[in-house]
Amino acid sequence: MKKIKITETAFRDAHQSLLATRMRTDEMLPIADKMDRVGYYAMEVWGGATFDSCLRFLNEDPWDRLRKLRKAFKNTKLQMLLRGQNLLGYKNYPDDIVEEFVKKSIENGIDIIRMFDALNDMRNIQKTLEATKKYGGHAQIAISYTVSPVHNIEYYVQLAKEMENMGADSICIKDMSGILLPYVAEELIKKLKKVIKIPIEIHSHFTSGIANQTYMKAIEAGADIIDTAISPLGMGASQPATESMVSSLKYSPYDPDLDMDLLMEIAEYFKGLKDKYIKEGLLKPKIFDIDARTLKYQVPGGMLSNLLSQLEYQGASDKFEDVLEEIPKVREDLGYPPLVTPMSQMVGTQALSNVLMGERYKLVSKEIKNYVKGLYGKPTVPIREDIKKKIIGDEEVYTGRPADLLKPQLEQCKNEIKEYMEQDEDVLSYALFPQVALNYFKYRQAKKYKIDCSLTNEEYKVYPI
């Protein structure tokens, strides 16, 4: 028995889950000192959708955010989420981009890189892992947790052993949909602890209302670290509330011994921000509702709301249940991919199309076709020949590592943005999100001049001062 460690998600997954990743750096920094003194094991502050949102919606440099947070957190490890070969985007990037991105992430302040692949295909993790170890970071590999006829405890135990053998420093069970049941978690952790020697972290969402119970059983079974979010940004589609979990473990051998007085002060700060977000319409109170449908359909909370929005836009809200029923069928057709980015978006969109078109796979996205062709990685189980035929006809399926098809891109990107580069990291922003980054670079450059503010970011007219 040992004290449990806590990773706080307020600056990454919590606001990504609840308010579309719109928290600004200047809203984080005033409370950073207090959070640094709480006693957290780590702060998850970067990665996921934060990078894109900084550039696209907030006119902020994500690298500058990371450097400021590193300066503010003198005692606490900083953690990020990386989608393996997808980095922070929605496609595979060449190996030279992957290595440079990991290198610069660590140089700018990241201690722990949590990496995952949407298909649990470890070939898509290998380069990220190698680079993290090379540049002195802690490499945590995450299991994308889902349930299917083939995703059982034996499958996850074998996957965890593979991760440890690859060189992982720790393993995270990433339960993005909030469907890991308490007694399943207990059995899984006990079996993992018998065969692997590295720490195990549990990450779950409160969407279905069971994450607190899951955490408790996982802790009792031997889990080392849990992910929580300070209460104003906890629960709902986010993680279990930090203060509640800390209090639940009080007087037990697992007591994390965090400073509760500081946690209460931090919660008060975030209560004020939460009220502001609600007034601005960024945070919808409904997102805190428990939605038990996720236990049946395995659909993350954000995916549920996105599907409903798309149906409302097309005047087809009455088809919502039909789409939910179609999602598991599409998953089965496609070899049971876990519903995590980018597979959650791809499966959800295909299910929506199947229902609205009145015919299955009449309309198929480019992304689904590429997935069936093997360009995202290996499905958990082979896709049936009749489904392949319907989606890609007689096209050949690639069975190698998808990134092996990609040519180096770093030098080309440098040449394309040389007139806008102000730091080495700019080339990585551009490599991941070319047009979005270019718009930001123009905005940044325009701040040094007088601007016609009546124009959009894409239409800046710059006049020398």
Side-chain angles (χ1 to χ4, degrees):
M1 293 184 182
K2 59 197 171 193
K3 290 185 177 182
I4 198 74
K5 296 175 181 177
I6 305 272
T7 294
E8 171 64 56
T9 68
F11 287 172
R12 207 288 295 176
D13 202 11
H15 76 109
Q16 180 173 321
S17 298
L18 298 179
L19 52 124
T21 333
R22 295 300 201 275
M23 192 187 300
R24 305 185 62 86
T25 305
D26 59 14
E27 294 171 325
M28 299 176 180
L29 293 175
I31 198 64
D33 178 65
K34 286 184 178 180
M35 298 182 87
D36 190 35
R37 291 187 277 119
V38 166
Y40 291 119
Y41 167 69
M43 286 286 303
E44 189 190 48
V45 300
W46 215 56
T50 61
F51 195 96
D52 183 9
S53 291
C54 276
L55 294 168
R56 189 184 302 269
F57 302 115
L58 304 179
N59 279 331
E60 289 189 13
D61 178 6
W63 299 99
D64 184 55
R65 170 181 291 188
L66 177 55
R67 289 189 287 266
K68 286 177 178 176
L69 290 173
R70 177 71 282 170
K71 186 176 180 180
F73 284 95
K74 299 176 175 62
N75 307 302
T76 311
K77 295 175 184 177
L78 298 187
Q79 178 174 304
M80 73 171 296
L81 180 70
L82 205 61
R83 301 178 188 129
Q85 203 77 27
N86 291 175
L87 293 177
L88 303 177
Y90 308 97
K91 65 178 184 178
N92 286 325
Y93 295 93
D95 285 344
D96 62 334
I97 299 292
V98 171
E99 177 162 348
E100 187 69 9
F101 192 93
V102 170
K103 176 186 176 184
K104 287 299 180 182
S105 298
I106 293 170
E107 281 182 5
N108 281 276
I110 290 296
D111 299 295
I112 303 168
I113 296 184
R114 175 181 292 171
M115 57 198 77
F116 77 96
D117 177 65
L119 299 175
N120 289 318
D121 186 339
M122 291 300 102
R123 298 174 304 171
N124 294 333
I125 293 289
Q126 188 63 51
K127 189 63 183 179
T128 314
L129 175 71
E130 291 172 358
T132 302
K133 306 279 279 188
K134 179 179 178 179
Y135 296 107
H138 176 111
Q140 181 181 88
I141 306 184
I143 292 170
S144 296
Y145 182 82
T146 188
V147 177
S148 79
V150 291
H151 289 93
N152 51 35
I153 287 177
E154 288 70 28
Y155 167 86
Y156 290 122
V157 169
Q158 290 302 314
L159 185 60
K161 287 168 68 175
E162 182 182 356
M163 292 172 171
E164 184 178 40
N165 291 336
M166 288 173 65
D169 295 307
S170 63
I171 288 174
C172 172
I173 299 172
K174 179 178 170 60
D175 175 27
M176 54 279 179
S177 300
I179 59 173
L180 177 57
L181 302 175
Y183 288 96
V184 175
E186 179 184 39
E187 183 182 359
L188 176 57
I189 297 297
K190 283 182 176 178
K191 289 192 174 180
L192 287 175
K193 281 293 182 177
K194 288 180 180 178
V195 298
I196 65 171
K197 306 302 180 186
I198 55 178
I200 298 173
E201 187 158 355
I202 305 292
H203 173 94
S204 189
H205 290 250
F206 204 77
T207 317
S208 65
I210 65 170
N212 280 0
Q213 298 94 306
T214 297
Y215 276 14
M216 292 299 284
K217 297 305 290 185
I219 290 166
E220 291 170 355
D224 301 278
I225 313 162
I226 58 173
D227 289 2
T228 65
I230 199 74
S231 58
L233 293 181
M235 300 171 288
S238 180
Q239 282 71 56
T242 303
E243 307 97 296
S244 301
M245 286 306 306
V246 171
S247 296
S248 297
L249 295 166
K250 195 75 174 171
Y251 308 119
S252 79
Y254 316 105
D255 186 349
D257 195 27
L258 299 191
D259 189 325
M260 279 296 291
D261 291 333
L262 271 178
L263 285 175
M264 294 301 177
E265 292 177 29
I266 292 164
E268 283 300 314
Y269 176 83
F270 280 103
K271 282 179 186 175
L273 278 185
K274 181 178 179 180
D275 290 341
K276 180 176 84 75
Y277 299 144
I278 291 173
K279 288 178 182 176
E280 292 174 353
L282 286 175
L283 194 157
K284 312 287 186 186
K286 188 172 175 54
I287 204 164
F288 290 97
D289 292 348
I290 299 299
D291 197 332
R293 286 176 298 188
T294 192
L295 294 168
K296 179 179 179 181
Y297 302 114
Q298 300 189 44
V299 178
M303 184 177 168
L304 279 173
S305 58
N306 184 50
L307 287 172
L308 185 56
S309 295
Q310 290 185 58
L311 286 167
E312 288 174 347
Y313 179 75
Q314 298 187 56
S317 300
D318 59 315
K319 301 288 187 183
F320 187 53
E321 291 294 333
D322 295 335
V323 174
L324 290 181
E325 293 284 353
E326 179 66 9
I327 286 171
K329 297 174 185 175
V330 173
R331 276 192 75 222
E332 181 178 359
D333 290 344
L334 299 180
Y336 296 108
L339 293 180
V340 65
T341 302
M343 292 310 304
S344 54
Q345 292 89 336
M346 290 159 59
V347 170
T349 301
Q350 188 60 56
L352 186 75
S353 174
N354 288 356
V355 170
L356 294 183
M357 297 297 292
E359 181 181 335
R360 306 188 77 232
Y361 305 108
K362 182 178 182 180
L363 182 66
V364 181
S365 69
K366 177 185 175 183
E367 290 77 15
I368 289 288
K369 288 180 180 178
N370 284 339
Y371 165 72
V372 174
K373 286 191 285 187
L375 301 183
Y376 281 85
K378 184 180 178 181
T380 310
V381 297
I383 299 171
R384 296 199 323 263
E385 289 301 322
D386 60 316
I387 298 295
K388 283 184 193 174
K389 186 82 172 175
K390 195 159 194 175
I391 293 176
I392 62 171
D394 295 323
E395 291 190 60
E396 186 178 348
V397 175
Y398 179 70
T399 58
R401 186 181 79 111
D404 287 343
L405 297 171
L406 304 175
K407 296 178 180 179
Q409 195 180 358
L410 197 61
E411 291 305 316
Q412 177 186 335
C413 289
K414 286 180 182 178
N415 289 330
E416 289 176 1
I417 62 158
K418 56 188 176 183
E419 64 181 295
Y420 296 107
M421 277 189 67
E422 296 184 6
Q423 57 181 348
D424 290 342
E425 291 81 359
D426 286 344
V427 68
L428 296 166
S429 300
Y430 176 76
L432 266 63
F433 303 104
Q435 192 55 55
V436 172
L438 199 58
N439 289 342
Y440 170 73
F441 297 155
K442 292 176 181 178
Y443 164 81
R444 181 179 64 187
Q445 196 175 76
K447 287 200 300 184
K448 300 176 182 178
Y449 300 86
K450 292 180 180 178
I451 304 167
D452 182 343
C453 295
S454 66
L455 302 177
T456 66
N457 282 6
E458 292 85 353
E459 299 170 321
Y460 276 121
K461 288 184 178 178
V462 183
Y463 305 95
I465 294 174

